[in-house]
Amino acid sequence: MIDQRAIEKFKNLETPLYYYDMDLLKRTLELCRRELDKYGYKAHYALKSNINKRILALIKEYGFGADCVSGNEVMWAYEAGFAPEKIVFAGVGKTDKEIRQALEIGIFSFNCESTAEISIIDELAGEMGKKANISLRINPDVDAHTHKFITTGKKENKFGISLNKLLETIEAIKNCKNIELIGIHFHVGSQITDIDVFATLCEKVNVITAWLKDNGLHIKSINLGGGLGIDYEHPLENPIADFEKYFATINKHLHLDEGQEVHFEPGRSLVAQCGALISRVLYIKEGDNIDFLILDAGMNNLIRPALYEANHDIINLTSSEALHTYDIVGPVCETSDKFASSKSINGAKRGDLIAILSAGAYGEVMSMRYNLKDIANHYYSDNL
Ligand code: LLP
């Protein structure tokens, strides 16, 4: 993922920096596209995972649409050239301004999360003389077996319309003149590595579509969201998510009627492994029990370990010394600013270049200026 030529270039660059392997991204997209096409599935890339324009351009080239969760993301996708009829817009708290923007450009679907939201979309669409395509985001009460902060499909989560409220929501839509119900939408969580979760989701979706049909509703589009996990433990050995198994599982378990479309919203599985956060060792501090490796990158650059106790593999790019065990930390004044505890990497010295791997998704896009730190630059393998 990071070759010697890239390492030589990093030596002359200010760190921390984000580095993207465009060849790996291409291979990932190719494989995902091939597996989608096998079954005639459609996909909208979840912009929230990485919004870099070069990355978006490549993803668009492979025929993906865009999954957005704010008006700014909708406009960002539109300006990046994603066709409006391939843009979906989710989120529990869409503002009037955001709804108007999306109506203006004419997106494929608002993925709606409550009757209150649907009636506002109806009202705003009416004012603008437009018809809004909507899908119902349903909370299927499926446990994604992932970290609780990225679990979205349990009934106690804020997302989606509860199964108990489905009938009354459908009744309410009948009174909306400016709404067209085109689909149903699900997203039960992120970094899902237990493939059975998707089988369970499909079983639930089958029950829901059968029930909707009994109630006279033919649903054209079934959107199963994103969530496919990646291998954070062994990113170098296993750099591409298992799209083959994922889509085969869906194909096996999901019942479809004639003409029904299946949509997905992959984010992490497309972009996580192509990105790395590159940092320099500032200091090595001897602790009582363990040595601290103090980096110039911190939770301001990559918040995942602090926020979700996430594990990212870490390698020393410029040392072949014997392995040594460190607590690897950043410079931010927070105890949670720690990338790894008791991590074995090649023995380090000041100035060594350290790569924190699998950082392409929810890395740069979640960075912030806490402690008034600078936002890191980013570089791509094909124009370093
Ligand atoms: N669709 C919807 C409606 C979503 O909310 C998300 C992610 C996705 C698709 C894409 O899911 P993915 O394929 O990337 O798992 N910041 C967290 C992840 C938050 C995910 C939020 N929603 C992290 O760093 O792990």
Side-chain angles (χ1 to χ4, degrees):
M1 198 233 144
I2 302 169
D3 58 17
Q4 200 50 43
R5 191 191 70 96
I7 296 171
E8 291 309 314
K9 295 278 182 180
F10 296 155
K11 286 182 182 166
N12 299 314
L13 293 171
E14 189 184 337
T15 49
L17 63 89
Y18 270 94
Y19 172 72
Y20 296 102
D21 177 345
M22 298 305 275
D23 180 58
L24 176 56
L25 177 59
K26 227 180 243 178
R27 286 188 283 123
T28 308
L29 292 169
E30 248 156 39
L31 197 74
C32 184
R33 183 79 264 164
R34 191 188 77 193
E35 295 305 310
L36 285 162
D37 290 348
K38 228 186 229 179
Y39 309 104
Y41 294 160
K42 298 174 189 291
H44 310 263
Y45 164 66
L47 245 79
K48 63 182 79 65
S49 56
N50 190 309
I51 55 157
N52 285 352
K53 294 209 166 131
R54 290 260 344 253
I55 290 178
L56 293 184
L58 196 60
I59 291 176
K60 183 171 67 77
E61 234 177 74
Y62 279 86
F64 290 79
D67 160 43
C68 304
V69 284
S70 71
N72 285 345
E73 278 194 2
V74 170
M75 296 318 289
W76 192 267
Y78 181 60
E79 278 152 25
F82 285 92
E85 59 274 14
K86 286 187 176 181
I87 298 179
V88 294
F89 181 15
V92 294
K94 302 177 188 78
T95 66
D96 295 17
K97 179 180 166 194
E98 291 176 319
I99 293 168
R100 283 200 187 93
Q101 277 176 323
L103 282 168
E104 193 56 54
I105 65 167
I107 60 168
F108 173 67
S109 175
F110 287 86
N111 294 337
C112 295
E113 313 228 7
S114 64
T115 43
E117 179 197 335
I118 294 168
S119 76
I120 293 298
I121 296 178
D122 181 46
E123 190 182 313
L124 297 177
E127 279 171 26
M128 292 170 71
K130 308 248 184 201
K131 193 136 198 158
N133 287 337
I134 69 157
S135 304
L136 298 181
R137 177 168 181 179
I138 298 170
N139 184 324
D141 196 25
V142 167
D143 190 344
H145 299 145
T146 183
H147 192 278
K148 65 174 191 249
F149 287 179
I150 49 177
T151 291
T152 50
K154 289 286 290 166
K155 63 178 171 206
E156 58 271 28
N157 302 137
K158 70 175 177 179
F159 298 99
I161 295 163
S162 125
L163 289 171
N164 298 324
K165 294 266 185 276
L166 203 49
L167 188 58
E168 95 186 41
T169 307
I170 288 163
E171 287 305 316
I173 292 173
K174 289 185 184 150
N175 300 320
C176 296
K177 295 195 175 55
N178 312 301
I179 294 281
E180 176 111 41
L181 177 63
I182 60 158
I184 50 176
H185 173 234
F186 303 84
H187 173 76
V188 295
S190 198
Q191 184 52 17
I192 299 170
T193 50
D194 173 0
I195 207 81
D196 292 345
V197 168
F198 296 108
T200 308
L201 172 63
C202 288
E203 310 297 344
K204 285 249 175 171
V205 175
N206 293 339
V207 174
I208 294 167
T209 47
W211 180 85
L212 288 169
K213 208 165 141 184
D214 288 346
N215 281 274
L217 274 173
H218 176 74
I219 290 298
K220 174 138 194 271
S221 145
I222 299 174
N223 182 335
L224 297 180
L228 177 63
I230 58 138
D231 191 345
Y232 280 101
E233 309 285 326
H234 309 102
L236 298 176
E237 295 82 353
N238 197 11
I240 300 187
D242 199 346
F243 296 112
E244 222 170 320
K245 191 162 160 199
Y246 174 55
F247 293 119
T249 302
I250 305 288
N251 180 58
K252 181 167 168 206
H253 293 274
L254 187 68
H255 300 159
L256 292 178
D257 276 345
E258 193 66 30
Q260 248 167 359
E261 292 174 354
V262 187
H263 295 243
F264 293 89
E265 299 169 343
R268 186 192 317 268
S269 56
L270 295 180
V271 296
Q273 298 292 28
C274 76
L277 175 59
I278 309 297
S279 173
R280 275 192 174 83
V281 174
L282 289 175
Y283 307 105
I284 292 149
K285 177 158 98 171
E286 276 180 35
D288 287 340
N289 302 317
I290 193 159
D291 292 341
F292 293 100
L293 191 70
I294 303 173
L295 304 181
D296 61 5
M299 65 191 284
N300 54 305
N301 305 110
L302 177 67
I303 201 171
R304 301 197 67 258
L307 197 54
Y308 317 112
E309 297 166 323
N311 168 55
H312 286 254
D313 196 16
I314 301 176
I315 52 178
N316 189 337
L317 297 173
T318 46
S319 163
S320 46
E321 299 292 310
L323 292 179
H324 191 90
T325 303
Y326 303 96
D327 275 3
I328 303 181
V329 302
V332 173
C333 296
E334 295 275 347
T335 302
S336 59
D337 184 26
K338 186 191 237 187
F339 291 113
S341 300
S342 300
K343 173 83 184 164
S344 274
I345 62 169
N346 292 106
K349 59 180 183 317
R350 176 174 164 82
D352 273 356
L353 288 163
I354 303 292
I356 304 173
L357 302 176
S358 317
Y362 309 108
E364 190 180 3
V365 78
M366 290 179 80
S367 55
M368 59 172 166
R369 295 213 55 198
Y370 184 41
N371 285 191
L372 218 50
K373 288 295 208 176
D374 291 325
I375 295 289
N377 288 324
H378 56 238
Y379 299 88
Y380 302 98
S381 54
D382 55 1
N383 68 354
L384 244 193

